[in-house]
Amino acid sequence: MQNLVLQTKNLKVGYTKGKDRVWSVSIPDLPISTGQFVGILGANGAGKSTFLKCLLGSLMPLDGTIRLQDKPITDWDVQEKAKVMSAVLTEAIPKTQLTVLELVALGRLPHTSWIGKLSEKDEQKVTEALTLVRMLDFAHKKVYELSDGQLQKVMIARCLAQDTPLVLLDEPTSHLDLVHKVSVFKLLQQLAKEQEKTILFSSHDLDLCLQFCDQVLLFTPKGVYFDEPCNLISEGVFHDLFQEEDVTFDASTGKFLLKK
Amino acid sequence: MLWLASLLFGSVTITLGDFWQAFIGNPVQKSDALILWDYRLPKSITAILVGAGLGISGLLMQTFFRNALAGPYVLGISSGASLGVALLVMGSIGLSVAVLNAWTMMIAAALGSFLVLLLILLVSKKMEDPTTLLIVGLMFGSFTGAVVGILAYFSSAEALQKFTLWSMGSLHQMSWEAVVILAITVFIGLVMAYSQMKSLNLMLLGKNYAISMGVSWKIFQQVVLLSTAILAGSITAFVGPIAFIGLSVPHLARLLFQTSQHLVLFWGCVLIGAILLMLCDLIAQVPGSALTLPINAVTSIIGAPMVVWLLMRQKKLTI
């Protein structure tokens, strides 16, 4: 058994209003080990982001435990946690005067002293991260001059600069075209393989995820499943994904088709 | 950049020193030296403290609330301080006049501003929308105005005059003792603000990103709010509500230095805030005449068009 980076037990996530549970989803027990490339799939509103928020700590789980490197996630000091887990979120960032380089450099701050001065090594990591997402040419542009797709790549670079063993990404490819999507997927997969980083990301690109991911956490209306993509296909759970909608799953090709 | 800022700061204080000499005018007599020492010097130090303090409190609020239009005056914090002082000056009819000194007025103003700050924080937790926040600040301003109006209606002429004079803002009448007290509180506020520079930089990406990069939210929030209340509260108590400095100084600093890095902006705001307020004070003196205008009127007359100009120029303000 490899090192477990992230574990969950009897986890239930969702929202409450007062004392009533308005909506909740049970997550199967997750053992996620080092170097795994894990996709989180599901329709809009199925609970992907809610689950990620629980991992990030901005939302409390309704039930169950999450352990980060075998220590309950609530016991982690925020500063220490930032050295182990980094994230790309879906929320829009405020309009600032930051340049691309400065924004990516923010990712290094968890590794600096109270005043936040960057060392030579920090600056090197920033350049590396920008090179990886092929945005080094834009380093001195202001962030507000970027397109949505470019911004998304810069946000991924910031996350990579933070250089943590665990990386969470909430829909990191939603604004990218197919070519750039594939290059981001390849990059993340490569990081998982070569640098032993554990990568969890949610996405709507089902086809790509099934081809790239080691494991998939699938949110369907009938329940949540966690397995390797090929096992999930043979179990036939993808048919549950879009119930009564206009899309059907073809197990032989691993592709989603329109119902005729 | 920091080096440049400190260099500028030096040169500016020097030129201002020269300027004072010229301004005091012609032959330097013994009485002039007295005026300089007991009147002009405390006033110019006050101007520096007030400008720097309000500039930093504006910077803190704009980053903290991720709102380019935030500032102690706009968000109603100065109004809160006004209410505190109004209650003390006009509401304490039964209390002896001895209670009304620099300290009690400062505490009343600081309490008032802190209360508003807490209120705004509560609202900002319920509603993320930045515009809502500004409207709440505006409403609070009107509300305070009304309460002050009611108090004024029932208070004695003497108390009313005292409050009206205070509310017009003034850098005069600062004894050396008052200057020292103000300097200490502003210094504490600035040090607290300076300790949060890294977290403020991380806040440029929003609260959730900041937390994911190791900002301890509770500590950060407490230090920033306390620092703002100390700065805006104590300054308002001593010199009265001063409009637009807190709002416009951070934008001028961003425009001048073209950055959102807080380490640069911190010194930029201190510098520009101090210069701007000394300038406003100079105008308020109406050089060459015996007239003195209320400082709050001058900052509004200069500040309001300046903010409009900034908006027109940048289309959208950044934080």
Side-chain angles (χ1 to χ4, degrees), chain A residues 171-219:
Chain A
E171 297 184 20
T173 55
S174 56
H175 289 295
L176 301 177
D177 59 43
L178 187 63
V179 177
H180 288 98
K181 264 180 191 164
V182 173
S183 77
V184 167
F185 270 85
K186 270 191 164 164
L187 167 67
L188 294 175
Q189 190 192 37
Q190 178 197 341
L191 287 172
K193 289 246 150 55
E194 290 170 11
Q195 298 189 21
E196 294 256 295
K197 285 186 190 301
T198 311
I199 293 171
L200 253 78
F201 72 101
S202 70
S203 173
H204 287 294
D205 300 302
L206 299 155
D207 298 1
L208 287 175
C209 282
L210 295 182
Q211 291 174 53
F212 277 104
C213 293
D214 299 321
Q215 284 167 311
V216 166
L217 184 67
L218 181 69
F219 286 74

Side-chain angles (χ1 to χ4, degrees), chain A residues 78-79 82 87-89 91 93-98 102-103 106 109-110 112-115 142 155 158 162, chain B residues 66 194-195 198 201-202 204-206 208-209 211-215 258-261 263 314 316 318-319:
Chain A
V78 201
Q79 280 178 36
V88 172
L89 311 173
E91 61 183 44
I93 59 167
K95 194 174 183 290
T96 61
Q97 292 279 350
L98 286 176
E102 287 172 329
L103 188 147
L106 289 178
L109 289 189
T112 60
S113 68
W114 70 276
I115 197 74
K142 294 275 184 195
M155 293 310 281
R158 187 213 57 78
Q162 205 171 333
Chain B
R66 280 139 282 157
Y194 197 76
S195 74
K198 181 168 147 181
N201 276 338
L202 291 173
L204 290 174
L205 298 186
N208 286 328
Y209 269 117
I211 294 173
S212 88
M213 287 185 273
V215 172
Q258 287 292 313
T259 181
S260 285
Q261 293 281 359
L263 271 177
Q314 297 204 309
K316 198 166 183 279
T318 58
I319 61 164

Side-chain angles (χ1 to χ4, degrees), chain B residues 112-190:
Chain B
S113 58
F114 198 64
L115 217 70
V116 178
L117 215 55
L118 284 181
L119 212 79
I120 286 166
L121 190 70
L122 272 174
V123 175
S124 72
K125 265 186 184 165
K126 289 258 179 219
M127 283 166 277
E128 291 276 303
D129 180 32
T131 325
T132 321
L133 214 63
L134 293 181
I135 294 173
V136 170
L138 220 65
M139 290 303 110
F140 199 82
S142 314
F143 180 81
T144 333
V147 174
V148 170
I150 293 169
L151 279 171
Y153 188 76
F154 288 109
S155 69
S156 70
E158 193 192 350
L160 183 62
Q161 191 194 20
K162 193 165 177 141
F163 179 77
T164 311
L165 276 178
W166 174 84
S167 72
M168 287 195 294
S170 163
L171 302 176
H172 322 273
Q173 299 144 356
M174 287 292 284
S175 64
W176 274 110
E177 190 198 8
V179 171
V180 169
I181 295 170
L182 184 65
I184 291 169
T185 48
V186 167
F187 183 73
I188 292 171
L190 292 183

Side-chain angles (χ1 to χ4, degrees), chain B residues 68-130:
Chain B
L69 289 176
Y73 200 77
V74 183
L75 286 183
I77 292 161
S78 302
S79 312
S82 292
L83 185 64
V85 172
L87 282 173
L88 183 78
V89 175
M90 301 192 289
S92 61
I93 305 159
L95 294 172
S96 66
V97 192
V99 183
L100 292 176
N101 59 35
W103 280 106
T104 51
M105 273 175 68
M106 193 185 90
I107 290 165
L111 275 179
S113 58
F114 198 64
L115 217 70
V116 178
L117 215 55
L118 284 181
L119 212 79
I120 286 166
L121 190 70
L122 272 174
V123 175
S124 72
K125 265 186 184 165
K126 289 258 179 219
M127 283 166 277
E128 291 276 303
D129 180 32

Side-chain angles (χ1 to χ4, degrees), chain A residues 136-147:
Chain A
L136 195 59
D137 294 342
F138 294 83
H140 295 288
K141 269 207 157 187
K142 294 275 184 195
V143 172
Y144 61 74
E145 294 173 323
L146 300 179
S147 73

